[in-house]
Amino acid sequence: MTAALALINNIIEIRTDAIKVLCGVQRPEYKCAADIGQWQNILDILTTCSIITNCALVSFTSHGLYFYFPHMTSVEKVWIAIICEHVLLLFKFILDSIMTETPKEAKEAYTRRVFLREQVKQVCALLQPEEAEKYFYIDDDGEAYYGED
């Protein structure tokens, strides 16, 4: 008896899970956006935090600085971390300011696509039958004839 009830329970659970996956948990409708929105700010914050933490890790835990500066004190380590951090943040700021524009190739590709789309629309408009034209039909017997709508 218990095995039969477990089997019925499993069948019902499989079916309800299938309905839930197919109907209840679907990907939302696509919505067009101009850019990645708030994620750009999140990526900028993560980039800044990674610069700060990586500079701190390199200066405080790495022994590579002792190769270049063998008699370095802990205060000098802090200053090297701050200077390295500021140099990298300046480099990030310069790259952000340089790369704000859309590349010329992308603009040209966009204008080319718009132009081709308009040409296709014009060709499709020419292929559309006019109101006064007779249309080409096939009857139920497979015979072709011209008629009006």
Side-chain angles (χ1 to χ4, degrees), residues 39-49 92 96:
W39 285 103
Q40 182 66 40
N41 295 335
I42 293 169
L43 289 175
D44 285 339
I45 291 169
L46 282 176
T47 305
T48 304
C49 290
K92 176 189 173 294
D96 284 344

Side-chain angles (χ1 to χ4, degrees), residues 41-95:
N41 295 335
I42 293 169
L43 289 175
D44 285 339
I45 291 169
L46 282 176
T47 305
T48 304
C49 290
S50 67
I51 288 174
I52 293 169
T53 55
N54 286 335
C55 287
L57 283 172
V58 167
S59 65
F60 297 129
T61 61
S62 175
H63 298 292
L65 289 176
Y66 288 118
F67 179 73
Y68 295 108
F69 308 107
H71 304 293
M72 184 172 40
T73 64
S74 59
V75 175
E76 290 172 341
K77 279 173 118 178
V78 172
W79 278 109
I80 287 176
I82 291 172
I83 290 169
C84 180
E85 167 204 335
H86 279 71
V87 167
L88 289 175
L89 287 175
L90 177 68
F91 183 68
K92 176 189 173 294
F93 175 74
I94 290 170
L95 281 179

Side-chain angles (χ1 to χ4, degrees), residues 1 9 29 33 36-37 51 57 67 76 84 109 128 136 139 144:
M1 180 72 174
N9 178 43
E29 292 286 326
I36 61 174
I51 288 174
L57 283 172
F67 179 73
E76 290 172 341
C84 180
Q128 293 293 327
F136 181 75
D139 61 6

